Amino acid sequence: MIIDCHTHIFGRWLNLEGIKPRDFVRVMDETGIDKACVFTLEGFFDAEGCNEKLVELIKGHEDRLYPFATVDPHRGDKAVQELRMAVQKLGMKGLKLHPWLQAFSLTNYYFLKIAEECVRLDIPIIFHNGSPPYACPTQVGNLARKFPEAKLILGEAGLKDLWQDAVAVGEKYPNIYLCPAASPFSACLAMAELVPAGQLVFGTDLGFSQKEEVLLEIEKIRLLPLAGSEKEMIFSGTISRLVRFSG
Amino acid sequence: MAIIDSNCCLEKGRARRLLSEMDRCGVEKAVIGPSKNHLAVENKSGNSYIGEAIRKHPDRLIGFAVASPWYGMKAVRELERAHGLGLSGLKLNPGVQGVVLTDPQIHPLIDFAERAKWPVYCSTGTPVFSMPFQLAELAEKYPRVDFIMGHGGFSDFWYDVPDTLRRCPNIVLETSYVLPTQLNRWIEDCGIERFVFGSDHPFSSLELELRKIGLLKESIDRKLILGRNILRILGRSR
């Protein structure tokens, strides 16, 4: 079983056109992905109504696609209400944030209210990660220290230049999970060696990336010198403990 | 079709490992430069083992030299020594070497590259040290030097890449880490002549980087990106 914990479904944003849900599921079939956690893209620029739009877009594919909400932390208490609504009324499974595009720091008090709400709702937060100044692994590490109960996923585990930071916070904080999407292969090897498979998850950024990237990401995990059971943890076991796929 | 890897990092004593990886992947030649501490500070030792590797395997390996810009004229003398060893290009890694790409401290090294007709490879994508537009400033200052934009600004500077290539005809992009769908778009926009295959072995996987080129649009001329473009640049320089 392969669960892709990092994908984007969207209609159209400026000159970018998203993959239509039917084609999206076809790519999943062709590459062997069973389930995907799906996020918005346009919602990082304008969060208004983006959760309802995503849930509407994936209608008919609820057995394969599991939507995550996005909120704009700058909206303060309203963002907290929107998050609650998205999870409790729309059935969304987690929160995706892109601190770089959304231009907020993980130390801002209005974001901390959202983090608190995620703990109350018992949902994971997945962050774009690896891009200074707002999306660095050690910033998520600092958050993990403040909220040991939060389930915090690095949607990219530090990318090309900050993967050592991602490994460091993964080793230190048991509530940080690393998704090595677009990571150098040598970084994946270090993650496999130093971070328990129970803290590693699989993701491809499909939607922003395409089928070709999905094939490469699957191959990267397959090539790791790990036991079959550990690869299963990365492909599906770890994320299944973080996300309530049923109910 | 001869495949040439335009960017490998060689760690001391690892030439055999690189050659067997090249054999396994069907790569005929690779451009190699010193890695890690040898790239950052122990340049003399780094250039020496690169010199030894190319002497032993002249038909397989092409050596690029390093010198920390902080060594000033000593760095230039080290490049002259490396030239004597048969090295034929300059590698910069501003993040690892701790120098911002627009710092004039780098200029004596580029002056040397221009005199020696060496291409200059520069890792890019690491803020604040080495972003594509910082490389464009350097390339515009030295229009007669060929620059290779390592890693195409990966991870986050993809917006800046097409303008950089359009501004600077003396820059080509090296493909390691860059996603295949991104490459497809850039090649369409900027022309296949501006792209050279590189793996950044051993930090990325030569096998996966090559597989990535295989996933590019079928209409893209593999011969150019996998070998002919870098040969054109190396041939012009030497």
Side-chain angles (χ1 to χ4, degrees), chain B residues 73-190:
Chain B
M73 288 318 288
K74 254 169 69 182
V76 174
R77 285 196 291 278
E78 174 53 23
L79 294 182
E80 284 165 355
R81 190 186 74 87
H83 189 269
L85 297 175
L87 279 65
S88 52
L90 170 66
K91 255 192 173 186
L92 293 173
N93 191 321
V96 172
Q97 294 174 323
V99 59
V100 172
L101 199 41
T102 50
D103 190 329
Q105 192 76 14
I106 291 177
H107 294 168
L109 279 70
I110 313 297
D111 289 332
F112 175 83
E114 183 165 14
R115 285 197 301 276
K117 296 188 165 43
W118 275 10
V120 177
Y121 177 95
C122 182
S123 297
T124 62
T126 307
V128 298
F129 295 104
S130 57
M131 299 175 277
F133 288 148
Q134 290 173 312
L135 183 63
E137 293 299 328
L138 191 63
E140 284 176 340
K141 190 172 173 59
Y142 289 93
R144 294 179 344 127
V145 175
D146 284 313
F147 290 89
I148 302 165
M149 177 168 43
H151 329 311
F154 188 85
S155 308
D156 289 321
F157 293 90
W158 67 83
Y159 286 122
D160 298 348
V161 165
D163 276 5
T164 300
L165 291 177
R166 281 192 280 266
R167 269 173 63 180
C168 305
N170 54 333
I171 295 182
V172 296
L173 181 147
E174 179 268 311
T175 59
S176 58
Y177 306 110
V178 182
L179 304 181
T181 44
Q182 185 77 71
L183 279 174
N184 280 334
R185 281 195 286 270
W186 286 343
I187 290 170
E188 203 167 304
D189 284 356
C190 304

Side-chain angles (χ1 to χ4, degrees), chain A residues 185-194 197 200 219-231 234:
Chain A
F185 188 65
S186 60
C188 298
L189 290 170
M191 288 172 209
E193 186 189 344
L194 299 168
L200 299 176
E219 203 53 29
K220 265 161 60 177
I221 304 298
R222 289 205 172 126
L223 287 171
L224 293 175
L226 290 175
S229 58
E230 290 171 307
K231 289 182 194 176
I234 298 173

